[in-house]
Amino acid sequence: MTFALNSEIGKKDIVIAIIPSANHKRKALEIAKYLSQRFKRICYVNLTQPLPSLLGEMEKNNVACAKFLFVDAITKKNPKKNQSNCIYVNSPKALTDLSITISKSLETKAFNAVLFDSFSTLLVYNSPQTVIRFAHDLFGKFRAAGILTIITADEGTDKSVLGDVSMFADVTIRVKKGGSP
Amino acid sequence: MTKTILIVDDETDIRLALGILLKKEGYAVLAAPGGKAALNLLQKKAVDLIIIDFFMPGMNGSQVLTEIRNNKKLKATKVILLTVATFGKQGEKKLKDLKVTAYIQKPFDNKALLAKIKKLLT
């Protein structure tokens, strides 16, 4: 686990982390571990893999799952298997639901950090223009919460969209394949 | 001499309202519904000030501004960015690099906007 943020990045900054597509899961896990080692309460917005698989990977890599509240838009709701530390959203296409759920979570829980994984998923389900406006709205919420926010994006993400969205962020980092940015 | 202002906004209501407001103050007004139309218009007409919205389909305000600053004939034109957007450190730096003359937050106050325009054009 080698992910680390530059010490110049502030505790309230909004960071876009561009990660290699081939290493996405591993790198997201590294970021989650990094955050769990530094913060008490983290909001993990999961748009990339089913929660059981994510939790399994986290446990296998000794990431303290108890520190996370998950907002999950990938895993299908199943009342018998639902996790208590997870709020489910129907789909990454349900941007209004996603926005409301994140807002409520930020308002009611005392988070120290947010991991949003991944921005690229939003572009699979929504038009670039919609995603840019959604990102602006969402980044505003993170900024108002005043907490460190890391938003992952795949290397292959539309550069024009990423360029626009990065204007609402404070820092963009490129996570290398092997190690820290 | 009458000063000319170009309004670039995809929202018809904003173009109309701003147009009425500025004409009342004695400015000549041109309007474009998007970045490409604005750049075409600027090839034919000289303007003293451009008011650009940030969120527009096609080209956004920052992209239009980049084109303007890269154009020899247009690069010194004063630009007001009219926006609902809140920018991060990266966005603020980019807009500073693009020499945005002033920002106005939407929804805007007519008096404040007119005062800013007057100050920029005198």
Side-chain angles (χ1 to χ4, degrees):
Chain A
M1 295 289 173
T2 47
F3 179 84
L5 281 176
N6 186 314
S7 59
E8 285 170 16
I9 293 173
K11 281 188 176 172
K12 294 179 179 180
D13 277 352
I14 296 176
V15 181
I16 295 178
I18 299 173
I19 54 186
S21 311
N23 290 67
H24 190 112
K25 278 187 185 176
R26 194 166 74 86
K27 288 297 168 187
L29 199 61
E30 286 181 16
I31 297 171
K33 182 153 193 172
Y34 171 84
L35 292 175
S36 72
Q37 288 167 339
R38 279 155 189 84
F39 299 102
K40 282 184 181 171
R41 292 280 300 155
I42 305 127
C43 177
Y44 192 138
V45 183
N46 170 41
L47 306 182
T48 54
Q49 57 181 316
L51 193 62
S53 145
L54 174 61
L55 288 173
E57 284 298 313
M58 287 173 83
E59 278 166 12
K60 208 161 75 182
N61 288 281
N62 300 316
V63 182
C65 298
K67 287 188 171 185
F68 291 84
L69 173 87
F70 297 90
V71 173
D72 187 319
I74 289 293
T75 314
K76 280 197 174 172
K77 278 183 194 172
N78 180 345
K80 285 180 187 171
K81 291 182 181 173
N82 278 359
Q83 291 283 330
S84 58
N85 60 338
C86 178
I87 303 169
Y88 295 88
V89 175
N90 277 339
S91 147
K93 202 174 181 178
L95 295 183
T96 306
D97 286 353
L98 192 57
S99 174
I100 292 169
T101 306
I102 292 171
S103 285
K104 280 187 182 168
S105 303
L106 292 175
E107 279 167 20
T108 53
K109 317 274 180 188
F111 293 114
N112 316 106
V114 174
L115 172 56
F116 187 99
D117 182 42
S118 128
F119 172 77
S120 308
T121 309
L122 294 175
L123 284 165
V124 175
Y125 294 88
N126 305 278
S127 73
Q129 200 63 27
T130 305
V131 170
I132 291 168
R133 283 187 182 265
F134 175 74
H136 173 256
D137 174 61
L138 197 64
F139 286 25
K141 293 180 202 299
F142 295 145
R143 198 169 294 287
I147 50 178
L148 175 68
T149 302
I150 300 180
I151 295 133
T152 66
D154 276 338
E155 228 168 29
T157 307
D158 185 316
K159 279 184 184 162
S160 164
V161 177
L162 212 48
D164 288 349
V165 169
S166 71
M167 290 186 73
F168 313 132
D170 298 308
V171 186
T172 299
I173 57 171
R174 288 192 173 272
V175 180
K176 289 175 192 164
K177 262 188 186 173
S180 55
Chain B
M1 200 178 147
T2 306
K3 302 280 187 185
T4 303
I5 301 173
L6 170 63
I7 304 161
V8 190
D9 199 311
D10 59 314
E11 289 181 59
T12 312
D13 292 349
I14 297 282
R15 292 199 307 274
L16 286 174
L18 262 180
I20 292 167
L21 181 73
L22 296 175
K23 279 176 189 168
K24 261 189 189 174
E25 293 297 311
Y27 297 110
V29 176
L30 298 171
K36 280 188 181 168
L39 293 169
N40 285 337
L41 199 61
L42 287 166
Q43 294 303 317
K44 299 166 202 158
K45 308 258 185 182
V47 304
D48 300 287
L49 175 70
I50 306 170
I51 300 175
I52 307 180
D53 177 32
F54 181 79
F55 286 115
M56 292 188 292
M59 293 175 89
N60 68 31
S62 152
Q63 291 166 329
V64 181
L65 193 52
T66 303
E67 293 289 324
I68 289 169
R69 295 301 181 231
N70 288 336
N71 183 307
K72 260 188 186 178
K73 201 177 104 187
L74 302 172
K75 67 178 179 186
T77 312
K78 289 171 183 165
V79 172
I80 292 178
L81 194 69
L82 191 66
T83 181
V84 289
T86 308
F87 298 103
K89 289 175 197 166
Q90 291 186 144
E92 282 172 5
K93 187 187 178 303
K94 185 170 182 184
L95 294 173
K96 195 178 166 191
D97 291 345
L98 287 170
K99 297 184 174 71
V100 172
T101 322
Y103 296 89
I104 298 281
Q105 281 283 330
K106 275 183 181 176
F108 54 87
D109 173 68
N110 288 353
K111 278 186 187 171
L113 177 64
L114 287 173
K116 200 156 261 185
I117 291 171
K118 199 174 174 183
K119 197 177 166 189
L120 288 175
L121 292 179
T122 48

